[in-house]
């Protein structure tokens, strides 16, 4: 692909610039592994080149060798499963941490699925607000199309974009949605969760919102608790709560 010095230099410059932007995205106390995915796009070509050199050096036989095929499959499986633990959050492990924190005899489902089923049974128009955190699949599981501009929060401090949480609190105060989903640490209540003191006004590990104490009064006045579910996310035990608008 790169037959000129200019093309090689351009490739290298783009690679280094992307690395610097990925590093710039980090902040103190927060390391997001998926930022490193930008590197892999540039690792592909060197890997192909090394594979060509390796195959030429190995001088593999022209016919298919069952041992080589089986060894490649085993090695590939080991490399995938050895560096990725997503499989333990799959249906192969019914009561894994992504579903629930508690050990149970019967398989359970995630809060997104449980809450979605409850919301779809209601005869009221399906409107939903996931307060203080990113989507986490609640809108998708419920089949709800957001009807408010600030339908989710983002991983930035509240002081840098106060209109997001301000708008969400107004949505709850003015009863603009039928359902509200929010989370707290497993051992916290609606009135005791004030957010991470070291990251005030910001989403923190486990996708925890910046605090629910500030909305506790207006939420309990306008909405009633319907369901709760505790599960683990990013190694944090999180309790999700589902509220429904009270009848006037």
């Amino acid at each position: 692909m790169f037959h000129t010095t200019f093309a090689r230099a351009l490739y290298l410059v783009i690679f280094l610039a992307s690395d610097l932007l990925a590093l710039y995205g980090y902040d103190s106390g927060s390391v997001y592994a998926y930022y490193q995915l930008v590197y892999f796009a540039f690792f592909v070509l060197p890997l192909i080149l090394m594979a060509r050199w390796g195959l030429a050096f190995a001088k593999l036989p022209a016919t298919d060798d069952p041992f080589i095929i089986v060894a490649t499959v085993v090695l590939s499986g080991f490399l995938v499963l050895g560096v990725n633990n997503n499989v333990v959050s799959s249906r192969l492990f019914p009561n894994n941490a992504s579903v629930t924190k508690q050990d149970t005899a019967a398989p359970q489902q995630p809060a997104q699925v449980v809450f979605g089923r409850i919301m779809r049974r209601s005869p009221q128009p399906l409107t939903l607000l996931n307060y203080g955190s990113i989507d986490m699949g609640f809108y998708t599981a419920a089949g709800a199309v957001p009807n408010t501009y600030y339908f989710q929060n983002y991983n930035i401090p509240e002081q840098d974009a106060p209109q997001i949480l301000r708008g969400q609190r107004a949505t709850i105060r003015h009863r603009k949605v039928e359902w509200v989903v929010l989370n707290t640490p497993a051992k916290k209540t609606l009135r005791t969760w004030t957010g991470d003191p070291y990251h005030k006004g910001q989403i923190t590990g486990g996708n925890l919102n910046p605090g629910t104490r500030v909305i506790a009064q207006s939420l309990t006045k306008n909405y009633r608790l319907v369901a709760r579910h505790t599960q683990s996310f990013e190694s944090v035990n999180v309790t999700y709560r589902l509220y429904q608008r009270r009848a006037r």
Side-chain angles (χ1 to χ4, degrees):
M1 293 178 63
F2 304 123
H3 300 291
T4 65
T5 302
F6 173 77
R8 298 188 188 98
L10 183 62
Y11 181 81
L12 182 61
V13 167
I14 295 174
F15 180 27
L16 294 175
S18 297
D19 290 353
L20 291 175
L21 288 172
L23 292 173
Y24 178 75
Y26 290 113
D27 62 80
S28 177
S30 298
V31 177
Y32 304 105
Y34 52 83
Y35 282 17
Q36 300 169 16
L37 292 176
V38 69
Y39 305 146
F40 286 83
F42 298 95
F43 289 166
V44 170
L45 291 180
L47 285 174
I48 293 175
L49 185 60
M50 287 188 289
R52 289 184 60 186
W53 288 342
L55 292 173
F57 177 79
K59 296 180 180 179
L60 299 178
T63 57
D64 292 337
D65 188 331
F67 173 77
I68 294 176
I69 295 174
V70 172
T72 302
V73 171
V74 172
L75 179 61
S76 299
F78 173 78
L79 290 175
V80 171
L81 298 178
V83 299
N84 190 326
N85 64 352
N86 285 348
V87 66
V88 301
S89 298
S90 70
R91 292 187 179 184
L92 296 175
F93 298 84
N95 287 328
N96 62 72
S98 70
V99 176
T100 178
K101 167 182 168 287
Q102 302 167 351
D103 295 329
T104 58
Q108 294 192 5
Q109 293 181 310
Q112 289 85 338
V113 175
V114 176
F115 290 0
R117 187 180 300 116
I118 294 173
M119 286 185 273
R120 288 195 300 272
R121 286 202 300 259
S122 173
Q124 302 298 327
L126 212 172
T127 54
L128 170 65
L129 171 66
N130 184 21
Y131 174 78
S133 60
I134 59 174
D135 173 20
M136 288 299 292
F138 284 100
Y139 292 98
T140 302
V145 177
N147 65 331
T148 58
Y149 188 80
Y150 298 111
F151 66 92
Q152 68 173 5
N153 195 13
Y154 302 91
N155 194 27
I156 54 177
E158 184 179 357
Q159 64 184 17
D160 294 335
Q163 66 272 22
I164 299 175
L165 289 177
R166 187 187 302 147
Q168 292 192 349
R169 290 164 188 159
T171 295
I172 294 172
R173 189 167 56 251
H174 298 300
R175 299 162 46 94
K176 292 182 179 179
V177 293
E178 178 68 18
W179 302 92
V180 175
V181 171
L182 49 77
N183 63 36
T184 66
K187 295 183 179 180
K188 293 287 187 177
T189 66
L190 194 68
R191 296 183 182 277
T192 59
W193 172 235
T194 58
D196 188 330
Y198 299 103
H199 296 84
K200 282 193 171 296
Q202 189 172 356
I203 297 175
T204 51
N207 190 36
L208 291 169
N209 61 60
T212 54
R213 183 176 180 179
V214 67
I215 62 163
Q217 183 175 353
S218 62
L219 181 67
T220 53
K221 176 183 177 181
N222 296 301
Y223 292 82
R224 63 182 181 88
L225 181 64
V226 174
R228 72 180 73 199
H229 187 96
T230 301
Q231 60 196 46
S232 179
F233 183 69
E234 293 181 346
S235 301
V236 178
N237 294 324
V238 180
T239 296
Y240 290 95
R241 293 172 173 82
L242 176 66
Y243 286 83
Q244 185 177 21
R245 187 166 50 197
R246 295 181 185 274
R248 287 195 181 276

